[in-house]
Amino acid sequence: MYEKIKGLSLAEQVEVLTRTLVTHASINGTEGETRIADEIKKWLLSFPYFKAHPELVWEQVLPHDPLGRKNIFALVKGKPGLNQTVIYHSHLDTVGIEDFGALKDHAFDPDYLETFFKAYSADPRVQQDALSGDYLFGRGSVDMKSGIAVHLANILRFSQNPEELNGNLLLMINPVEENQHTGIIEAIKELKRLKEEEGLSFVLAINNDFTSSLYDQDPHYYIYTGAVGKLLPCFYISGREAHVGETLTGVDPTLIASEINRRINNNMDLAEEIEGELILPPSCLYLRDQKDFYNVQTAGRAYLYFNLFLYRSTPETVLNKLKLLAVRACQETTQYLQNQYQAFIKRTGYLHSRLSWDIKVYTYEEYVRYLKEKGIEADKIAKQVVKENKQMESRQLCFKIMEALEQKEPDRHPKVILFFAPPYCPHNYLDESVDQDRRKLEVLQQVAKKVGEECKLSFMIKHFFPYLSDSSYLSLHETDEELQALVHNFPQWEDIYPLPFQDMRKLDIPSINMGVYGHDAHQWTERVYKPYSFSVLPQLIKETTLAILNLNETGKEHQNDTNQINTV
């Protein structure tokens, strides 16, 4: 690859790298993730610096991964004797290509897609972007093959001029970002090793996951000083089956699920209030009854779960709010069912049966305690379910645990069990009350002002990158006590989704996002804006790298920083 891009301008290098990366399919959950990792490693080893120091490029295979997926690392050492290190990180996987429809065979062909969209009058904005020549199309173009390309180009540049660095650069490319984040989670072990054995001190991580406009005619480009967190609150809903000829005697779990969904889905009252930030409400990702085939019996169970973003809130706060909403939803459902039954009796004149439509609501921790009081070994049952279903999709495995526990219950009754399932993403942000974080923020402001003036662009610095990101796992703000509500309400946490909390807390790597810019990530019209992403962004990241490494222990910049921070 080096022979292909040497002699090109930085922007040209980024474009060549992006186009080549897009042509390599690396859909999440496929062998393409492994193949592209091998390709990136091979490219790095073609750079002159790494040809001379091949030991500074290495891989970390994810243990027990059926596809052999791996993290790729490369280290550029700056001036001798300095251990402070900036991390560049990106993810190599993409979402699937089903949304391309008839164009699936061309999903990884930027030139074909550009030609197609030039004639695509159904969406004038996309057509205009294609005609402009300023955009590169294709799956992964903005999320985030172009991000990898920017980091590779900057790594090449710094590897050719390592004397500029008052410290080191560590490149980290991870798989499995689009769902389970197991790439970055496994990488925590390697970062810990580098800290303990190699003495590296990680002062900042720079992710360049995609950014976009936040509203129509938005003139700004955004720098994010943190990553939003995420919870996946789940509801196992068990009702009382009934024949459709006696439907009013049953408790339909789909009715309960619908009422819970109505109260939570896109409810802005459940979104945190942080001035100046893009704060999103919870959204339903799954709602389904558990009937395996058609018959005239109502459903017995329903499963429901939500994406819920965490900014500054804690899992305990979220748990309490959602339980209260579930209780109210069940109370309203009970009242509704009672009212409908009374109306039925009034119309038919039948004798009133002694029925109850009460629905109990538990958190997982409460339900396990209830079962143990009945003499049921809930922990043993849950562990056995995991042992017997190791290949099951992790969220379904959690629901299967609920089902197995309920089957052991002596007095079955309609219920809702609220619990958490993977993934859990901690929130990660620069804390202005901490001196080191405040100094880093000041550096970002200075760099943004400098690059903005040079490039005649408007930058805005915000706290939280509004999309899910691997950056979440590089630090941990919650205390052990604050995490108890998560762990105690997450079935078989240690088997299904163990996180190295203590290692994350000890690493405590602040992570910012300076992302490539484009539109329609995860859509078939996905495209990256070349003038900013290929020219301005590499400069912005370069300037930030130098400025951060020029901070000494007291937070003042080295005297030679002005000479070292130049434009590309």
Side-chain angles (χ1 to χ4, degrees):
M1 177 54 71
Y2 174 70
E3 293 298 323
K4 188 175 182 179
I5 63 175
K6 72 176 182 179
L8 299 179
S9 69
L10 187 61
E12 290 170 338
Q13 289 179 343
V14 176
E15 179 159 359
V16 170
L17 288 165
T18 300
R19 286 181 175 275
T20 308
L21 286 165
V22 169
T23 63
H24 287 77
S26 57
I27 296 171
N28 179 275
T30 70
E31 292 180 352
E33 289 188 80
T34 306
R35 288 194 294 267
I36 199 170
D38 291 335
E39 194 71 14
I40 291 169
K41 182 181 177 183
K42 184 169 69 174
W43 293 358
L44 286 163
L45 288 169
S46 75
F47 293 178
Y49 179 85
F50 295 119
K51 268 192 172 182
H53 305 283
E55 74 281 1
L56 297 181
V57 177
W58 70 98
E59 64 185 43
Q60 178 195 27
V61 178
L62 307 190
H64 314 299
D65 186 89
L67 299 173
R69 289 174 289 190
K70 59 190 70 174
N71 295 313
I72 300 297
F73 294 89
L75 180 65
V76 177
K77 295 184 177 181
K79 293 178 181 177
L82 298 175
N83 62 1
Q84 56 188 13
T85 304
V86 168
I87 299 173
Y88 289 171
H89 70 111
S90 304
H91 70 84
L92 54 78
D93 57 322
T94 73
V95 295
I97 57 173
E98 292 75 14
D99 53 327
F100 279 83
L103 291 178
K104 281 176 65 174
D105 292 342
H106 304 287
F108 306 108
D109 188 339
D111 292 331
Y112 183 96
L113 291 171
E114 181 179 349
T115 301
F116 174 85
F117 285 118
K118 283 180 178 178
Y120 187 67
S121 58
D123 190 328
R125 183 183 176 188
V126 175
Q127 184 181 32
Q128 181 181 357
D129 287 350
L131 290 169
S132 73
D134 287 338
Y135 287 82
L136 189 149
F137 290 80
R139 173 59 77 233
S141 57
V142 73
D143 186 16
M144 63 174 299
K145 301 296 180 61
S146 52
I148 297 174
V150 168
H151 279 340
L152 286 173
N154 266 336
I155 284 288
L156 174 60
R157 184 200 175 283
F158 279 120
S159 72
Q160 293 171 328
N161 304 276
E163 71 282 354
E164 293 184 359
L165 295 169
N166 284 321
N168 313 294
L169 273 182
L170 177 68
L171 176 70
M172 177 175 67
I173 309 295
N174 307 111
V176 209
E177 190 268 356
E178 293 291 357
N179 54 6
Q180 296 289 75
H181 302 278
T182 49
I184 187 67
I185 293 170
E186 188 62 27
I188 297 299
K189 297 176 184 176
E190 186 65 7
L191 295 176
K192 179 186 177 185
R193 183 191 72 79
L194 291 169
K195 179 179 180 179
E196 294 176 351
E197 297 180 11
E198 305 296 331
L200 298 186
S201 174
F202 300 115
V203 294
L204 188 71
I206 301 177
N207 194 356
N208 57 1
D209 213 338
F210 81 95
T211 63
S212 192
S213 56
L214 300 184
Y215 53 88
D216 287 343
Q217 308 303 316
D218 184 355
H220 305 297
Y221 292 91
Y222 294 94
I223 298 170
Y224 297 95
T225 63
V228 65
K230 172 201 171 106
L231 286 169
L232 195 84
C234 306
F235 295 85
Y236 173 88
I237 304 166
S238 178
R240 183 170 64 236
E241 300 96 325
H243 189 282
V244 293
E246 298 178 330
T247 182
L248 291 168
T249 66
V251 177
D252 189 343
T254 67
L255 189 63
I256 305 170
S258 297
E259 184 59 30
I260 294 174
N261 188 35
R262 185 185 69 82
R263 290 170 178 267
I264 295 176
N265 197 2
N266 287 326
N267 182 356
M268 282 302 297
D269 289 339
L270 293 175
E272 297 179 45
E273 292 188 22
I274 304 176
E275 186 177 355
E277 295 293 313
L278 173 61
I279 304 297
L280 298 170
S283 53
C284 179
L285 296 181
Y286 191 93
L287 197 170
R288 199 167 298 180
D289 72 50
Q290 297 306 302
K291 289 186 64 172
D292 296 325
F293 50 86
Y294 169 81
N295 61 26
V296 290
Q297 185 183 49
T298 59
R301 299 182 309 280
Y303 297 171
L304 171 65
Y305 58 70
F306 296 89
N307 183 89
L308 191 145
F309 289 115
L310 279 179
Y311 300 88
R312 289 178 178 155
S313 192
T314 65
E316 182 178 15
T317 301
V318 170
L319 187 74
N320 292 336
K321 285 183 179 180
L322 295 184
K323 184 184 177 184
L324 181 60
L325 282 173
V327 168
R328 290 174 177 171
C330 290
Q331 289 172 341
E332 186 164 320
T333 301
T334 296
Q335 188 61 55
Y336 172 79
L337 292 173
Q338 289 174 342
N339 291 344
Q340 300 312 307
Y341 186 73
Q342 291 297 328
F344 171 76
I345 293 298
K346 185 175 180 180
R347 289 192 188 187
T348 61
Y350 292 169
L351 293 177
H352 190 288
S353 298
R354 296 175 62 88
L355 295 172
S356 170
W357 294 271
D358 288 342
I359 307 159
K360 295 184 179 180
V361 178
Y362 305 90
T363 63
Y364 179 70
E365 184 177 17
E366 290 168 342
Y367 190 60
V368 167
R369 188 183 308 125
Y370 161 77
L371 293 178
K372 288 181 177 179
E373 290 171 355
K374 299 284 186 179
I376 298 170
E377 297 181 273
D379 295 334
K380 184 176 180 180
I381 294 168
K383 189 171 286 290
Q384 186 65 27
V385 170
V386 173
K387 182 178 179 181
E388 294 174 355
N389 298 275
K390 291 182 178 180
Q391 303 306 315
M392 182 174 286
E393 196 267 349
S394 56
R395 283 146 292 276
Q396 291 302 313
L397 179 56
C398 291
F399 280 111
K400 192 168 186 66
I401 289 173
M402 301 301 128
E403 183 179 339
L405 292 177
E406 189 189 31
Q407 287 176 352
K408 298 295 184 180
E409 186 181 339
D411 49 344
R412 295 279 297 273
H413 54 272
K415 68 179 67 63
V416 171
I417 305 173
L418 167 59
F419 63 95
F420 295 120
Y424 164 64
C425 305
H427 47 198
N428 181 355
Y429 53 89
L430 290 180
D431 187 345
E432 296 174 46
S433 67
V434 177
D435 287 345
Q436 289 182 340
D437 284 2
R438 185 175 64 254
R439 290 195 292 268
K440 290 182 175 71
L441 180 58
E442 290 169 355
V443 166
L444 294 179
Q445 292 167 338
Q446 293 165 8
V447 171
K449 181 180 179 182
K450 180 179 185 292
V451 175
E453 289 174 350
E454 292 173 352
C455 300
K456 296 180 173 56
L457 297 175
S458 173
F459 286 99
M460 288 192 71
I461 297 177
K462 290 186 172 291
H463 289 293
F464 296 103
F465 179 59
Y467 315 111
L468 298 175
S469 164
D470 277 345
S471 301
S472 290
Y473 298 91
L474 296 177
S475 181
L476 189 68
H477 287 249
E478 286 86 357
T479 65
D480 289 342
E481 291 73 21
E482 289 173 327
L483 289 169
Q484 286 182 0
L486 170 71
V487 175
H488 292 170
N489 288 286
F490 195 119
Q492 291 306 109
W493 167 274
E494 67 278 7
D495 296 319
I496 296 177
Y497 202 69
L499 287 182
F501 283 147
Q502 299 307 320
D503 291 341
M504 291 160 60
R505 185 177 287 121
K506 288 178 182 177
L507 284 171
D508 192 25
I509 305 170
S511 183
I512 65 172
N513 195 87
M514 294 177 161
V516 293
Y517 182 89
H519 303 295
D520 299 348
H522 293 199
Q523 300 180 44
W524 70 299
T525 50
E526 177 181 356
R527 57 204 184 277
V528 62
Y529 182 54
K530 296 190 290 185
Y532 176 82
S533 303
F534 296 175
S535 296
V536 178
L537 181 62
Q539 175 182 343
L540 182 68
I541 292 175
K542 173 207 164 192
E543 302 267 4
T544 301
T545 302
L546 292 171
I548 289 294
L549 289 178
N550 286 346
L551 282 174
N552 63 21
E553 292 181 359
T554 64
K556 297 178 181 178
E557 293 186 15
H558 289 292
Q559 293 179 354
N560 65 349
D561 68 336
T562 303
N563 296 326
Q564 291 205 7
I565 301 178
N566 298 311
T567 58
V568 173

